[in-house]
Amino acid sequence: MPESRPPYPPFDAEAALQKVQAAEDAWNTRDPERVALAYTPDSVWRNRDRFLTGRAEIATFLTAKWERELDYALRKSLWSFDGNRIAVRFQYECHDAAGQWWRSYGNEMWEFDDNGLMRRREASINDVAIDEADRRIFGPRPKYEHDLDLELRLQ
């Protein structure tokens, strides 16, 4: 039986929002192996100026990312969707080993296979140094915001 990860394309608004929230939740675990399972075994990524292919490279990349991006916390927002594609905008905050806090902004384009696994991800990201007092993201999004966000976006 092939691997699958519902919801499946073609996406409607509710399914696209569920995919975005599931991705946010997974990335906020900072568990590279768990995150990599959402992608096809031969998934192709562009992340900034890095090009990756396959789950093993993705997991290795994410391991190194979260070793240097400490206390990482992410928010994703649905931008658009059509068929088997979803576009998101996101921001995350983290600090480096020296204690400098960063806010990173970006856009991602996702393409899914018929089983709901992401086969392509392209991410453009910009980083801004911030003071700790300017932080806005403190850990994963609380569950009550998941449902509220979904209700507001479907109106």
Side-chain angles (χ1 to χ4, degrees):
M1 181 170 176
E3 296 176 84
S4 67
R5 185 150 313 218
Y8 308 109
F11 300 114
D12 61 14
E14 185 173 0
L17 285 166
Q18 289 172 354
K19 272 299 197 203
V20 172
Q21 189 61 60
E24 177 184 304
D25 293 345
W27 279 64
N28 275 325
T29 68
R30 294 178 247 152
D31 179 342
E33 298 299 329
R34 175 181 171 187
V35 172
L37 290 175
Y39 302 92
T40 61
D42 60 349
S43 185
V44 175
W45 274 29
R46 180 185 62 78
N47 193 88
R48 300 176 193 252
D49 61 347
R50 299 271 316 269
F51 295 85
L52 310 169
T53 302
R55 286 182 180 158
E57 283 187 26
I58 291 168
T60 298
F61 170 83
L62 292 173
T63 297
K65 171 184 178 64
W66 291 320
E67 285 174 353
R68 72 178 178 279
E69 294 181 356
L70 307 174
D71 294 319
Y72 173 98
L74 167 73
R75 296 292 185 272
K76 290 185 182 284
S77 298
L78 178 64
W79 186 269
S80 182
F81 64 94
D82 184 46
N84 70 338
R85 294 184 175 140
I86 296 176
V88 299
R89 56 188 176 155
F90 65 88
Q91 57 183 291
Y92 67 85
E93 294 177 351
C94 62
H95 66 87
D96 58 28
Q100 173 62 58
W101 281 91
W102 298 90
R103 184 174 303 124
S104 300
Y105 298 93
N107 301 296
E108 292 176 320
M109 294 178 290
W110 301 342
E111 183 179 84
F112 295 85
D113 70 6
D114 291 340
N115 295 318
L117 296 170
M118 195 182 303
R119 67 178 165 212
R120 183 173 178 180
R121 173 184 174 264
E122 297 202 20
S124 298
I125 307 167
N126 299 299
D127 305 309
V128 178
I130 62 171
D131 292 329
E132 185 172 5
D134 294 328
R135 290 181 59 209
R136 297 191 300 230
I137 304 172
F138 300 92
R141 186 186 307 260
K143 176 66 174 133
Y144 71 86
E145 285 185 17
H146 294 198
D147 299 333
L148 176 64
D149 193 44
L150 182 60
E151 287 176 27
L152 291 174
R153 291 178 191 205
L154 291 176
Q155 292 179 357

